[in-house]
Amino acid sequence: MNPRIARIELRRSAAPWTGAVVLAAALAFLCLIPGPWSTGSALWTAQWTSMAMWTRHMLVFLWPLAVGLGALQGLRDRRSKMTELLAGTPRPAWHRAGVQAGTTAFTLVSAFALLLLVGAVLVLAGDASYFHLGWLPISLVGALGLGAGAVFGMGAARAMPSILTPPALAVAALMVTNFLRHHRSSDAEVPLALVPNPVALLAPTVAEVHETLLTLSAPVHLGQTVWLLGMAATGVALLAAAGPRARLLALTPLVVGGVFALLLFPAGPRDTYVVDREAAVQVCDGPVCVTTVRQARLDGMAGPAKEALRLLSGALGERAPVGVRETTALRALSATPERPRDAVLVDFDDGALAGARGERLTRFLIGQGIVPLCSPRSRTESGTWEDAAAQSIAAAWVLGEQPRPLGGTMISAKGQAETSGPVWKRFSALPRAEQRERIDAAHTAALSCKGDALTELNGGALR
């Protein structure tokens, strides 16, 4: 492409505005509008992979927007009534098509790169200690998706020159993308789609991010790259096509790219969203371990966790856990958490743990060590009232204090106090030996998920 011609095209076309609209829309969603990308341990500025995945997820609406704006750009010659004039010039049609498509794709890729730059600055400003380059393929395919979508929209509008084409293409792209994309199911470990997995991967977007350890596999990157390059080639060919036969032949790259992509894509979602093994490696300070991606939390966690293990050893004796480690097992949102006998498992998506520091962290780990949860608890799932009450009573017994409400859950402090108060009153009036027996019974019930820990602490059914 001649640089001088490209500069003229950038100055006189709407391509720069296309990139500006896409960048502004993405930043508005991620920075100004509250959503799952702004909360939890997998928020978009927490880690490099989550930043790349959330920006790719934004293609749910950015890609249809790019297709529609590209189609609007493709109608430029018709709106200016210059189609016949340009057709009579000696300049090859493919040359004009390449300049138009190249400048539009360049502005969209640049807009996506600026979005990633903002995300990178925010990640570096946070506490992300795990740097890797595994996020780059995720973002490169996203940038390619925006450029290819806009170029395809330009070609489609040239082939169907109607003022209704841009909005129709944008709406169709939005509907197809949302129908194909993966969704996080409450009863599945990884996101699922309504259609066969290879077909779902034709959408350039990804599912919402709930696990910082999940990333996309290499066959997904390769297949989507082939598919999107075929889409871009079809868009350029449609821009240069002069007749019905040429337009029909222009669809060849799209079809061939789609066929090869379907052959490359993984058959199932479990091979699409895979665990980043390097990120999941445990980094330890004695008996306290976290994943590499959470290494920045280890220093603040080691002291309180070791104190909690010491106190648990005195409370449970030989049955006490001997370590604290971060869970790395994938599970469905509604699945029962792991409850090993030899370790206290921590999940940084647990709202009660997320803001816990110092003495509050020690109290949380004691409660979790004696009464591990059978019901899931996260920032959107707070377990049960009985779980919170049982953990607060167990921690109070070990620390020799009155029960305090568990912070960071969706259960109010007043509600927790009303549930735990009567049980604590009866429990604390018992001899120490009987209190110990009930703590052991509650611990056994929680580990097996047979029976209810609060009922065991109460000595019978709650009234």
Side-chain angles (χ1 to χ4, degrees):
M1 184 187 298
N2 188 307
R4 178 173 172 270
I5 295 176
R7 287 196 298 270
I8 294 173
E9 182 73 18
L10 284 172
R11 285 200 309 269
R12 296 184 178 180
S13 73
W17 290 104
T18 300
V21 168
V22 168
L23 176 61
L27 288 175
F29 263 82
L30 291 171
C31 298
L32 301 179
I33 300 177
W37 49 83
S38 60
T39 59
S41 63
L43 74 164
W44 83 287
T45 57
Q47 303 289 341
W48 293 99
T49 300
S50 57
M51 184 270 289
M53 295 286 276
W54 273 122
T55 49
R56 271 288 294 276
H57 178 72
M58 290 295 108
L59 264 62
V60 167
F61 72 93
L62 291 181
W63 192 74
L65 182 62
V67 172
L69 292 174
L72 193 63
Q73 180 80 344
L75 293 177
R76 184 183 64 179
D77 294 345
R78 181 177 177 83
R79 292 198 310 270
S80 303
K81 299 180 180 180
M82 295 178 58
T83 305
E84 293 183 3
L85 176 63
L86 292 173
T89 62
R91 188 179 176 192
W94 65 265
H95 193 180
R96 294 196 307 273
V99 171
Q100 277 188 275
T103 52
T104 300
F106 172 77
T107 57
L108 284 169
V109 171
S110 299
F112 197 73
L114 288 174
L115 175 64
L116 294 174
L117 179 61
V118 173
V121 170
L122 294 175
V123 170
L124 290 172
D127 60 357
S129 58
Y130 172 56
F131 177 78
H132 61 107
L133 296 178
W135 63 275
L136 274 177
I138 302 172
S139 297
L140 290 174
V141 173
L144 176 61
L146 280 178
V151 172
F152 179 77
M154 294 174 68
R158 181 66 62 85
M160 298 178 290
S162 168
I163 194 62
L164 298 177
T165 299
L169 281 177
V171 171
L174 181 64
M175 294 175 63
V176 170
T177 301
N178 276 277
F179 179 72
L180 292 182
R181 71 185 180 96
H182 290 87
H183 300 265
R184 183 63 192 264
S185 173
S186 62
D187 58 353
E189 294 179 349
V190 295
L192 303 174
L194 300 175
V195 295
N197 190 69
V199 177
L201 290 173
L202 294 175
T205 186
V206 298
E208 290 186 359
V209 185
H210 292 276
E211 295 276 357
T212 54
L213 298 178
L214 280 184
T215 187
L216 294 174
S217 62
V220 176
H221 301 317
L222 182 59
Q224 289 184 331
T225 299
V226 171
W227 161 242
L228 293 171
L229 287 175
M231 183 184 297
T234 289
V236 174
L238 286 173
L239 277 173
R245 184 177 179 181
R247 294 189 185 101
L248 188 62
L249 289 174
L251 298 176
T252 302
L254 183 70
V255 175
V256 172
V259 170
F260 274 98
L262 291 173
L263 294 175
L264 291 170
F265 286 147
R270 195 63 189 84
D271 296 320
T272 299
Y273 294 89
V274 296
V275 173
D276 184 342
R277 294 185 179 180
E278 291 184 9
V281 171
Q282 297 280 331
V283 179
C284 301
D285 181 348
V288 184
C289 299
V290 296
T291 59
T292 301
V293 77
R294 308 274 191 216
Q295 190 171 353
R297 296 290 303 268
L298 183 58
D299 289 341
M301 186 173 179
K306 291 176 182 177
E307 176 64 10
L309 290 175
R310 185 186 68 81
L311 294 170
L312 284 169
S313 178
L316 295 176
E318 295 181 354
R319 303 180 64 197
V322 295
V324 175
R325 63 179 174 86
E326 181 183 356
T327 179
T328 58
L330 300 180
R331 65 176 180 86
L333 294 176
S334 59
T336 301
E338 290 181 281
R339 300 170 315 286
R341 296 179 180 274
D342 62 341
V344 181
L345 287 192
V346 294
D347 183 350
F348 287 99
D349 280 323
D350 189 332
L353 172 65
R357 300 290 188 277
E359 186 271 339
R360 178 181 163 187
L361 177 57
T362 299
R363 185 156 30 93
F364 167 81
L365 293 173
I366 291 172
Q368 182 73 3
I370 294 179
V371 188
L373 292 179
C374 289
S375 303
R377 181 173 65 207
S378 67
R379 291 187 180 273
T380 56
E381 299 176 22
S382 299
T384 65
W385 292 55
E386 291 77 12
D387 290 333
Q391 288 191 341
S392 65
I393 290 173
W397 180 78
V398 173
L399 294 170
E401 61 182 24
Q402 293 292 316
R404 284 191 268 174
L406 201 64
T409 72
M410 297 177 66
I411 303 172
S412 67
K414 181 181 179 182
Q416 293 185 50
E418 290 176 349
T419 304
S420 63
V423 178
W424 173 255
K425 185 176 180 180
R426 287 187 286 269
F427 175 81
S428 60
L430 298 171
R432 183 72 180 180
E434 191 169 345
Q435 291 177 1
R436 176 70 176 266
E437 290 178 1
R438 291 196 180 184
I439 287 289
D440 288 342
H443 182 61
T444 300
L447 282 175
S448 63
C449 277
K450 295 178 180 178
D452 177 67
L454 189 62
T455 300
E456 297 294 341
L457 291 173
N458 190 52
L462 303 175
R463 291 186 294 275

